[in-house]
Amino acid sequence: MIPAAFEYYRPKDMAGVLSILEEQGDDARVMAGGHSLIPMMKLRMADVPHLIDLQDVEGMSGIDLGAETIRIGAMVTQHDIIEHEPLASVAPILREAALQIADPQVRYMGTVGGNVANGDPGNDMPGLMQCLDAAFTVVGPDGQRDIPARNFYEAAYMTAREDEEVLTTVTIPMPIGGYAYEKQKRKIGDYATAAAAVQIVNDGGTCASASIAMTNLSDTPIYSEAAGAALVGTSVDDAAMSAAVAAMLGDIDPTEDNRGPIAFKKHVAGVILRRAIERAWSRA
Amino acid sequence: MKDEVTSRDDRIANLKGMGCSRKRVEDARFTQGKGNYVDDIKLDGMIFGDFVRSPYAHARIKSIDTAAALEVPGVLAVLTAKDLEPLGLHWMPTLAGDKQMVLADGKVLFQGQEVAFVVAEDRFAAADGIEAVEVEYEELEVLVDPFKSMESDVVLREDTVDEAGKLVDGAHGPRKHHNHIFTWEAGDKDPTFEVIEAAEVVAEETMYYHRTHPCPLETCGCVALMDKVNGKLTLWGTFQAPHAIRTVVSLISGIEEHNIRVISPDIGGGFGNKVGAYPGYVCSVVASIVTGKPVKWIEDRMDNLMTTAFARDYWMKGRISATKDGKITGLHCHVTADHGGFDACADPTKFPAGFMNICTGSYDIPTAFLEVNGVYTNKAPGGVSYRCSFRVTEAVYFIERMIEVLAIELHMDAAELRRINFIKKEQFPYTAALGWEYDSGDYHTAWDKALKTVDYDALRAEQAQRVEDFKAGKTRSLMGIGLSFFTEIVGAGPVKNCDILGLGMFDSCEIRIHPTGSAIARLGTISQGQGHATTFAQILASEIGLPADSITIEEGDTDTAPYGLGTYGSRSTPVAGAATAMAGRKIRAKAQMIAAYLLEVHDDDVEFDVDRFVVKGVPERFKTMKEIAFAAYNQAIPGIEPGLEAVSYYDPPNMTYPFGAYVCVMDIDVDTGVPDIRRFYALDDCGTRINPMVIEGQIHGGLTEALAVALGQEIAYDDMGNVQTGTLMDFFLPTAWEVPNYETDYTVTPSPHHPIGAKGVGESPHVGGVPCFSNAVQDAFRAFGLRHTNMPHDHWRIWKTANELGLHG
Ligand SMILES: Cc1cc2nc3c(=O)[nH]c(=O)nc-3n(C[C@H](O)[C@H](O)[C@H](O)COP(=O)(O)OP(=O)(O)OC[C@H]3O[C@@H](n4cnc5c(N)ncnc54)[C@H](O)[C@@H]3O)c2cc1C
């Protein structure tokens, strides 16, 4: 569990980061909290001859609450999310989800940017960001662009971000309605057996909109447009929830692992989603 | 004088002797990061070794090319079996009478097996060197199923067949097949079968006690230093039995035993993982001999989980017979034991399946028969006793499941079935059908106390209501009531039938009283977190009348400690604790003569009173132990040698038999398979209680490891022999979050043959806890027709049980 030798860089600004990335190409990688990357390096599953630590880069650790959007710097930690009262009051789902990630020690180090950039289907924030219809701002040699979370994930560890681009900001439209992040895991510190993020709007007893995303049930997070659509226009009764679950099951594609066989995961995904919808609706 | 105004109770309290919840003296250093573990040892010029390990579970090694590795900066040497062979060290004896490859000799038998040892200036260079060693493997058919292994043509171990193709006898008798290690029987086969076949009621069940691992927080490791000038080898390491390691190292290396010093520094948990000898020790010693430098080897977590000392892996088939009223008449147990590639179990020699023959449990079962077959497969070696005394966990799990299955067969309450079959108080000492003589017990009292405390009848009523509500669609949660009553067998053991590699399993204590009335005592055991420095000082305090705070306890250095067989199998208190009391009594006997001389009376005219000898009938005439100690060194006493020291080697006349009654109440989410432990009650009877707080700590730890094993902790392999659970992400190690509140309770039934009546407790909660957690899960589904389902009860397996019973609609 000892990584291969690597060069360590700690630039002070984004220009410095980009120039190393350009120079070293594939051999360089940025590191945020290091709590996904370092384990991979120790297992020698990730080979990173040039490691660029983002800790000292200015301007990546802010949380800005605007009228219509929330902007979270990539280096904001999961712990920061939990502690930020104004954020928790406008977007409580972020705290509810962050509290279910790993354990306090990991959350002190792990960042939002690292969690969404990593591309591990087990990470909780990608599904969460898809549910919230967030956009990821990346900068690279050709400048800056925004990529919607719902288009970001291509396969396990494959994302729309180019190798020489750095993710700087996550922008979330101000969420409305009820929310829930529901996760089943084997123990503290475990990735999800199944997790569901739900944000739902109640307009006089009728569901006006619903957004649903699932975690660790495919090789990418799954934004299930059909599941959300199944709730819209209903009173979110049993039949509507069954329809949403059925739609979601059509979108996920879990594989068997130590957490259990496919049939179990599908069943639990349904149960978890139903509970998430019920809780979100009760808060809507 | 101060003494005169101090009451007798104050004097007793001042000793902090037996029965006192004295704070652990070890904790000051552990909680401040001042422990000294093997990886804290840093010596001048120290270098590091680590292993190239096999990615395959079964393969022939075609070639090993070390040239590129030797080019890696910092790499000093690469050892392979070829280098060890001239020294006769490419194989080593196991504690079970088998032998094990130190480095792969032509083939590998399990994933992670040691193939080459890379020695380098630091561990980073060693890691790079490992990457650069090129090994060419030819994959062979993998056998991970012991039943298939026993039928396969594939010969796993070439030393099981001779040139003529005939089977070679194993360490415990003839083989039935080339992949068969031993058959071990206890009890009477024919009479047992007759009783079972003629019985009114018979329950049968097959259960798999899955493979798991002790997983101590600190992994295994050592530092070896061969001093070429004085010819002395010093070996620091995570050894649960330092003296046994010294003797084994001497026997296999040929270095004379006085030239070997083995030191166990602080150890961060053992649980059986650190009893055996591992290739890392041998390679470190060889590397130090070759380089003349101190060599350190430390396992990482994956090495530890994948290669050193698994536990359990027993396939157990049982038949239990009874009358219609539930009186048990006979028990038959048949075990297929998966030992992996080498038989490296750490059991007393005469017990290749440990004390599995305690499987009649706490019940008066007139006839019984046990057969255990050990089998080789392509899995890691081990078979150690994970927080238990030699396979007692397997035995207790077996009988506590068979009782539940019999209760189902009889349509009877499982608590009642236990009650009517318990060995009665007046039957002790009780000789069980499989041979053991239980020293003492009062099972009915313990059971009644447990059931009353948890209000068992109310729990059953609540459970019945829950079943109705479930059937009516009002809830998706079921309730399980887990019961277990266990009898442990600890304190191995009487030298007449207990030895390991021929080393008798006595233990020892040596005491030196200092002139000013403080003392040091050294023992043949070694604490790995049990708190020996605290509790052994308490035994002595009560025996010799000096405060526990004035007594240093030292263990683990073979140059200073008396010979002993170490700490595992809850043997420290039953054996070394007894030696401590006996040595203390020798001190007291001499002190009595000194006191009598000082008080100018006859020896018989003084008597011991807490911390002093008093003239009988004249309490104001006394000499304190402190005064006596000073006199022992500084006053010429006719006919008495100066000094105050004693040593005792204690060969126990029998094992001790702690017992306990546990109840677990659990709610199970039928839809997700998630269990929620609502209540856990543990009553333990470990005889005389030395330190109630330490006992409680041991019980919390043992129960937590029981929870782990029952609810998810396993070493799982795929069909190719790949370990599926090699990191703590997948190998379940519970945190405070997963652990319920434990309610502890006790009764006290002293051991009649132990000098202070103590029985040992460190492992009881694990032994009794595993069946209790498992029974709770299984009991939740009893109303829906479940008889038995195998552990570990992780979410998906619980879900699967519910699914197969049709509970998901
Ligand atoms: C024991 C344990 C349990 C865990 N459990 C969970 C869990 O339950 N749920 C969960 O979601 N996560 C879990 N994690 C992962 C944890 O949340 C990580 O911190 C997170 O996945 C990555 O964040 P990081 O800041 O540590 O990123 P790093 O490890 O530093 O980086 C991860 C990857 O993202 C890239 N990267 C990082 N920042 C940027 C950026 N700004 N721009 C471009 N690329 C970037 C890196 O190059 C790397 O490839 C767990 C981790 C551990 C160790």
Side-chain angles (χ1 to χ4, degrees), chain A residues 1-5 43-44 184-191 193 257-261 263-264 267-268 271-272 275, chain B residues 123-124 127-128 131 300-302 669 671-672 674 724-725 728-733 735 737-738 794-796 799 808:
Chain A
M1 295 265 252
I2 290 174
L43 291 166
R44 297 197 177 213
Q184 180 168 341
K185 56 188 170 184
R186 297 170 296 181
K187 59 176 176 188
I188 282 299
D190 193 18
Y191 293 93
T193 299
D257 60 20
N258 287 326
R259 291 182 184 81
F264 165 70
H267 186 108
V268 166
V271 174
I272 292 297
R275 289 180 187 173
Chain B
R123 51 186 94 186
F124 308 99
D128 289 340
E131 290 276 288
D300 69 23
R301 180 63 58 196
M302 291 179 78
D669 182 334
D671 294 320
T672 59
V674 177
Q724 303 295 290
T725 50
L728 296 185
M729 186 56 81
D730 289 311
F731 183 86
F732 176 41
L733 206 62
T735 66
W737 192 267
E738 287 81 23
D794 48 11
H795 298 173
W796 80 261
W799 175 87
H808 293 142

Side-chain angles (χ1 to χ4, degrees), chain A residues 29-37 54 60 74 78 100-102 106 109-111 113-115 117-118 122-125 161 165-167 183 189-191, chain B residues 729:
Chain A
R29 271 236 229 158
V30 297
M31 179 177 76
H35 272 53
S36 287
L37 185 55
L54 297 179
M60 291 177 78
Q78 295 146 20
Q100 296 180 67
I101 292 177
V106 172
M109 294 301 293
T111 65
N115 200 299
N118 194 30
N123 279 129
D124 287 289
M125 289 198 162
R161 183 181 61 85
E165 286 176 323
V166 179
L167 199 152
K183 177 177 175 180
D190 193 18
Y191 293 93
Chain B
M729 186 56 81

Side-chain angles (χ1 to χ4, degrees), chain B residues 288-304:
Chain B
S288 184
I289 292 173
V290 171
T291 61
K293 295 184 175 185
V295 178
K296 182 184 273 190
W297 164 72
I298 304 286
E299 284 180 322
D300 69 23
R301 180 63 58 196
M302 291 179 78
D303 297 341
N304 181 253

Side-chain angles (χ1 to χ4, degrees), chain B residues 507 517 594 608 623 645 798:
Chain B
D507 226 289
I594 297 171
F608 187 69
K623 286 289 167 191
E645 297 191 0
I798 292 179

